[in-house]
Amino acid sequence: MAKQLRILFVVSEAVPYAKTGGLADVAGTLPFALQELGAEIKVIMPYYGQIKQKNIAMTCAAENLTAAAGPLSLEFNVLTPAAGDAPFYFIERDEFYERSQLYGTPRGDYYDNLERFAFLSDSVLATCRALAFKPDVIHCHDWQAALVPVYLRHRWVGEALLADTKSLLTIHNLAYQGLFPKEKFPFTGLPPSLFSINGLEYYDKINLLKGGIVFADAVSTVSRGYSKEIQTPEYGYGLDGVLRTRAEAIFGIVNGVDYGVWNPATDPLIAANYDAADLRGKAANKQALMEAYGLDKKLVKQPLLGIISRLADQKGFDLIAAVLPELMARDIPLVILGTGDEKYHLWLEEVGPKYAGKLGVKIAFDNRLAHLIEAGADMFLMPSRYEPCGLNQMYSMKYGTVPVVRATGGLMDTVEPVDAAKGTGTGFVFKEYSAAAFIKALNAAIDAYKDKKLWRKIMLNCMAEDFSWQASAKAYLTLYKRLAAGDI
Ligand code: ADP
C-alpha cells in the first residue's frame, strides 16, 4: 500500500471558526476532502477572540510550548476541538489573537501583524514536535503563513523532524503581501542577510509573501487563469518578476465548492428549497429577498441583481457605481451585501436611501443573508478588476443565479459565456474593464431574461455545473506527491 501522505496546513482563517473571505472556505473544506482521499491532515491556525466567543469545547493538545517572533520568545498552548475529528489545532496566545477582528479594523491593520504571524509561523516547529507529527508537505496559505517556507530553509535547518519536509505556498490574493517597515525585520527572527533583493526585501520594505515565493518548493494559485496573469506586470502587483523566476514551480488549482453548505436543495438558510427538477422555490426566495431589503413589490417581474462582496477596489465597485444610475432609471432592482473599505460604506450609505425601493443595501457580514441572495437573485454581479478564483460565481450557478462577470482569473476559468442562439453557456462575460463593456454584458443578460425559455436553459446549464472539492483535492494530492518525491 502506498504510504499515507502527511500534510500540515498553516493558515490564518478557516470556516466555521473565523472568516473574512474565500480563504476561510478553502481552509475549512479542503482538509476534509484530502482526508477522504486518504491523506493525514492537520491544520494550524490562531485561536482568535472570535473562536473563543463561539464557546466550542476544546481540549488542550499541548501546553507551555515556546515559539518566537524574533527576539520575543513566548509561550503558547495548542487547543483542538473536543468533539468530532476536526483536524484543527489552534495556537492560543491571547495577547496576539484575542482581538475583535482577525487582521485589523476598517481603519487599518493591527500594528503588530508581523509579530502575530511570525509567531504563528514559528509555532509550527514546536507544535509538530508536541504532536509527534512529521509532515511530508507544509501547505502554507497567503502572506500570514509565508514565513514558514523561509523558516524551513533558514531557521529550522538541522531539525530532524522537518528535514525532509517540503513546502507549498498558495497565493489566494497577490494584492495582500504582508508589507512591513524594514525596522521590524528582527521580528522575523531571520539573519539580516535575508533582507536583500534575493530574500524578503521589496522596495526597502519587508515583504513576507515575496519570501514565501522565493523559498517555497512550489507555489500555487487558486485558478489556472490567475496563475498565468500574476506573472504579467498588469496583475503582478510588483511581484511578477519574482514569480517569473519561479515559473516552472507555479501551479493553478481552482477552488471547489462545499455543496454540503451551498446547495438550494438542502440549504436550511433560505426561504424555500428547490433543485433543477423543480425550480418553483426560487420565486419564494426572490420574494423573501425583496422583503428582507424592503424593495418595491411591483418590481418582482424585473430581473433582481445581487452582489455579496468584500467592499474593496478589487471587486469593481467603480464599475457598479458607474452603471447604477442607468439600472435604477430602468427600474432594475439590485441588492448589495458587503463590508470593507470605509469609502464604500460611505458611498452605499449615500446611494441606498437615494434609490430606496429599488436598491437594497446592507453593510454587514451576514451569512444567512448571503445564502438568501444566492437563492433569491436572478443574476449575480462580479465585475472584478482581478479575481484569483472567486467563490460566489460558483455558488450562484448552483442556485440557478446567472453570473455576470468580468473575464479575469478564476471567473474566466469557471463561467462559460452564453451563446443565446445555441442556448449554451453559464453566464454573461465582458473583457475590457470599463462601464461600457459591463453595461453591454448586463444588457445581454437582461434581454436573455425576457426570453423565459432561454433563461430557464441558462439556469439549468448553471445548476448542472459541478465544482465540487473532489477534483481540486485530487489535483492538490498529485502536487503534494510530486513535492514529496522531490519531483519539483
Ligand atoms: P474573496 O475571497 O475575494 O472575498 P470570494 O468570492 O472568493 O471572494 O469569497 C467570498 C466569500 O465570502 C464567499 O463565501 C462569500 O459568500 C463570503 N462573503 C463575502 N462578503 C460577505 C458578507 N458581507 N456577508 C456574508 N458573506 C460574505
Side-chain angles (χ1 to χ4, degrees):
M1 206 180 95
K3 177 178 156 286
Q4 190 183 31
L5 269 184
R6 287 176 301 248
I7 310 298
L8 178 70
F9 272 46
V10 186
V11 69
S12 57
E13 55 183 271
V15 292
Y17 305 106
K19 166 167 169 170
T20 66
L23 168 62
D25 293 303
V26 176
T29 315
L30 178 57
F32 294 98
L34 289 164
Q35 267 181 344
E36 269 173 34
L37 294 176
E40 186 182 351
I41 308 288
K42 295 193 192 299
V43 183
I44 286 182
M45 68 179 278
Y47 190 54
Y48 296 111
Q50 292 187 8
I51 307 177
K52 206 176 241 193
Q53 279 163 17
K54 290 191 197 317
N55 286 322
I56 304 164
M58 297 274 176
T59 51
C60 191
E63 51 189 345
N64 304 330
L65 305 184
T66 308
L72 311 173
S73 186
L74 303 166
E75 288 193 344
F76 67 99
N77 299 324
V78 182
L79 307 181
T80 189
D85 56 357
F88 284 82
Y89 293 84
F90 298 101
I91 304 303
E92 183 188 36
R93 175 85 206 172
D94 287 348
E95 113 199 44
F96 281 151
Y97 307 126
E98 196 182 18
R99 312 230 172 132
S100 65
Q101 306 295 321
L102 271 50
Y103 315 124
T105 66
R107 294 278 161 83
D109 292 343
Y110 290 131
Y111 75 97
D112 59 350
N113 275 348
L114 178 61
E115 294 89 314
R116 297 171 76 220
F117 291 102
F119 187 78
L120 176 74
S121 301
D122 197 50
S123 75
V124 164
L125 175 61
T127 305
C128 283
R129 278 195 195 132
L131 302 177
F133 189 63
K134 187 176 165 58
D136 293 298
V137 178
I138 304 186
H139 188 169
C140 316
H141 298 267
D142 279 349
W143 68 263
Q144 291 91 339
L147 277 172
V148 173
V150 191
Y151 288 171
L152 275 170
R153 295 280 176 95
H154 291 281
R155 187 173 162 85
W156 301 331
V157 183
E159 292 291 342
L161 191 68
L162 300 178
D164 303 321
T165 300
K166 299 291 171 33
S167 62
L168 168 65
L169 173 70
T170 294
I171 300 170
H172 295 261
N173 191 333
L174 186 63
Y176 301 87
Q177 301 181 353
L179 290 174
F180 299 95
K182 64 178 170 189
E183 292 70 29
K184 286 208 149 196
F185 197 73
F187 286 108
T188 64
L190 292 166
S193 59
L194 281 179
F195 187 72
S196 68
I197 182 120
N198 297 319
L200 283 73
E201 189 269 341
Y202 175 85
Y203 294 101
D204 214 29
K205 286 193 172 140
I206 305 165
N207 185 322
L208 297 187
L209 194 70
K210 182 186 168 205
I213 293 168
V214 170
F215 293 109
D217 293 295
V219 175
S220 75
T221 69
V222 287
S223 69
R224 207 183 284 269
Y226 193 60
S227 77
K228 302 282 179 243
E229 282 176 343
I230 58 172
Q231 298 181 51
T232 66
E234 195 186 345
Y235 291 92
Y237 272 87
L239 289 179
D240 49 295
V242 182
L243 285 159
R244 282 195 299 275
T245 66
R246 303 292 328 265
E248 300 288 299
I250 298 182
F251 300 85
I253 299 176
V254 77
N255 288 334
V257 170
D258 184 351
Y259 288 124
V261 175
W262 297 97
N263 181 353
T266 52
D267 192 335
L269 302 178
I270 62 178
N273 292 116
Y274 60 96
D275 59 21
D278 183 355
L279 290 169
R280 278 174 300 180
K282 184 121 180 111
N285 285 297
K286 182 169 181 176
Q287 204 181 340
L289 178 58
M290 290 184 71
E291 270 168 29
Y293 273 101
L295 296 189
D296 186 347
K297 285 199 181 78
K298 288 201 294 288
L299 299 179
V300 72
K301 291 248 151 53
Q302 295 281 55
L304 174 58
L305 316 184
I307 294 174
I308 306 162
S309 181
R310 274 186 300 113
L311 302 176
D313 293 341
Q314 173 201 342
K315 301 294 182 176
F317 281 97
D318 51 343
L319 295 190
I320 294 180
V323 303
L324 189 65
E326 182 172 341
L327 292 175
M328 295 296 108
R330 290 164 59 188
D331 284 340
I332 309 276
L334 167 65
V335 295
I336 301 179
L337 169 64
T339 55
D341 294 353
E342 207 170 18
K343 67 176 175 186
Y344 293 118
H345 290 198
L346 296 173
W347 170 65
L348 287 171
E349 278 160 8
E350 183 198 317
V351 290
K354 184 169 160 195
Y355 297 117
K358 298 181 199 175
L359 175 65
V361 169
K362 181 139 191 220
I363 301 174
F365 198 95
D366 184 335
N367 186 47
R368 176 177 286 272
L369 189 56
H371 281 252
L372 186 61
I373 293 175
E374 294 294 6
D378 296 297
M379 298 171 194
F380 193 90
L381 313 188
M382 277 178 97
S384 304
R385 213 173 258 282
Y386 67 92
E387 195 60 71
C389 176
L391 291 168
N392 277 312
Q393 82 281 12
M394 294 193 270
Y395 298 159
S396 299
M397 286 188 243
K398 185 71 183 172
Y399 287 77
T401 301
V402 178
V404 181
V405 304
R406 180 159 173 265
T408 182
L411 297 173
M412 182 166 66
D413 289 6
T414 55
V415 180
E416 186 198 334
V418 164
D419 182 329
K422 292 194 190 127
T424 57
T426 54
F428 294 84
V429 177
F430 64 102
K431 181 78 198 157
E432 189 189 282
Y433 191 84
S434 70
F438 185 28
I439 201 82
K440 202 168 153 208
L442 279 167
N443 281 336
I446 293 164
D447 283 347
Y449 182 81
K450 290 179 195 147
D451 180 342
K452 289 297 159 210
K453 222 172 124 194
L454 171 63
W455 193 255
R456 190 185 155 82
K457 182 76 179 57
I458 300 169
M459 283 174 72
L460 293 177
N461 293 348
C462 284
M463 295 174 86
E465 288 287 331
D466 181 4
F467 299 104
S468 58
W469 267 108
Q470 270 235 315
S472 317
K474 275 190 190 145
Y476 277 112
L477 211 56
T478 306
L479 186 52
Y480 299 149
K481 280 184 187 152
R482 288 187 60 193
L483 278 164
D487 234 19
I488 297 167

